[in-house]
Amino acid sequence: MTKTALIAGVSGIVGAAAATLFVENGWEVFGLARKPLAQKGVTPIASDLQEPASLSPALAGIRPSHVFLTNWSRQATEAENIKVNRAMARNLLDALRPAGSVRHVALVTGLKHYLGPFEAYGKGTLPATPFREEQPRLDVENFYYAQEDEVFAAAARDGFGWSVHRPHTIIGKAVGNAMNMGTTLAVYAVICRETGRPFRFPGSAAQWNGLSDMTDSRLLARHLLWAATTPSAANQAFNVVNGDIFRWSWMWSRIADWFGIEAAPFDGRVEPLEKQMANDAPVWRAIAERYGLGEPDIARLASPWHTDADLGRPIEVVTDMSKSRKLGFTAYQPTDDAFFDLFAELRADRLIPPA
């Protein structure tokens, strides 16, 4: 049967990586975003999921067999996050219903499923680590839960299968992305190198000393493809991380070495990047002009608030992948290499300066 993917959020870290992989595997790929970027082999669809009236004409004649929800919209409160992100999932699935072509819907969420939303992030009674898929939802409102419920309801109504994918912090390239630790750290390292400022770990002692894991967007794309084409993976939720674990006390020096700078000693104080980089917009613009970089707007590259949320957590966070492994997904990605591959891509695309 023909495999046709519709990727919502195709311009983001996950969507772009998934589109690349699915094209490489011979799928017909449609990429939906408000302003989709040109991507080889991907047919762009410009539409706003918050405007349901725009969807039917945008999707006319498109009959996807598989839908990938990789998008989200950040709002000021969790109540607004729930309202907006639930509606976007519902609007797309409702718009696709008349064609009757959808066989599988994949939803990408994350570890806030276990840690709670930003308003209550890492607070209260949390499940024990490593996080496992069978652990129940927290007793708190969470837009991830609302998105899941929309997918579950539509699946029951329309008869398609589903999968839910819960990555940890994602490493990948996407300009303008709201949650982008890898590029944020690259920009921070460049600023430290160019200005002589110390490359200081901004987070907590728990993160510096404790174990952690992360998710490469390319590995997540492979997980999406695997779940969409593996019958035993149907109608299940999965954690998805690289497969290694590390301590930031080790990783921070690895990142510093890549940029040719020294990692400042960590003294246990939390110094958030949002505070450290608060006045760096003109600094970055000057660096961009000096090296002829393609993006002089630091806000399009760095998201310090999100990096601070992860690196400032007072608890250790590690994720169990046994469920996927037992069903045959064995892909593995060293996290330091994931960072280095991203940094090299950013350099090649003139988004950060040369060495």
Side-chain angles (χ1 to χ4, degrees), residues 56-223:
S56 293
L59 296 171
I62 298 172
R63 296 176 56 84
S65 57
H66 295 71
V67 178
F68 301 87
L69 302 175
T70 72
N71 59 302
W72 80 293
S73 178
R74 185 189 180 199
Q75 305 298 311
T77 67
E78 191 60 19
E80 283 297 308
N81 275 332
I82 291 169
K83 178 181 178 181
V84 170
N85 289 284
R86 168 189 280 157
M88 288 198 297
R90 181 191 305 132
N91 291 341
L92 179 57
L93 297 177
D94 283 352
L96 292 170
R97 186 183 188 190
S101 63
V102 177
R103 304 200 304 270
H104 181 90
V105 172
L107 170 67
V108 178
T109 61
L111 293 197
K112 288 189 291 296
H113 184 94
Y114 309 106
L115 289 163
F118 287 121
E119 290 180 3
Y121 191 58
K123 300 177 182 177
T125 302
L126 301 176
T129 55
F131 295 138
R132 293 182 169 86
E133 294 91 342
E134 66 267 20
Q135 290 166 327
R137 290 179 175 182
L138 302 176
D139 187 19
V140 62
E141 293 295 309
N142 189 325
F143 83 85
Y144 284 172
Y145 305 161
Q147 288 178 306
E148 285 186 346
D149 289 343
E150 287 297 329
V151 171
F152 299 159
R157 178 192 70 194
D158 299 336
F160 56 73
W162 55 266
S163 59
V164 175
H165 305 256
R166 299 172 185 159
H168 197 170
T169 305
I170 300 170
I171 302 169
K173 181 193 168 194
V175 175
N177 191 266
M179 298 194 298
N180 195 333
M181 181 188 286
T183 306
T184 298
L185 294 181
V187 168
Y188 176 58
V190 168
I191 289 173
C192 290
R193 188 187 71 185
E194 295 295 312
T195 64
R197 281 160 42 182
F199 185 61
R200 190 187 189 288
F201 183 72
S204 67
Q207 291 302 301
W208 180 257
N209 296 312
L211 295 173
S212 189
D213 50 27
M214 294 184 73
T215 307
D216 188 309
S217 62
R218 299 166 299 181
L219 182 134
L220 176 51
R222 294 171 67 182
H223 197 264

Side-chain angles (χ1 to χ4, degrees), residues 2 14 27 38 56 62 67 89-90 101 105 116 136 141 156 169 214 252 254 257-258 269 301 305 309 332:
T2 301
V14 179
W27 289 50
S56 293
I62 298 172
V67 178
R90 181 191 305 132
S101 63
V105 172
E141 293 295 309
T169 305
M214 294 184 73
W252 199 249
R254 296 281 288 157
D257 288 346
W258 197 92
R269 290 182 296 121
L301 297 174
W305 68 273
Y332 167 81

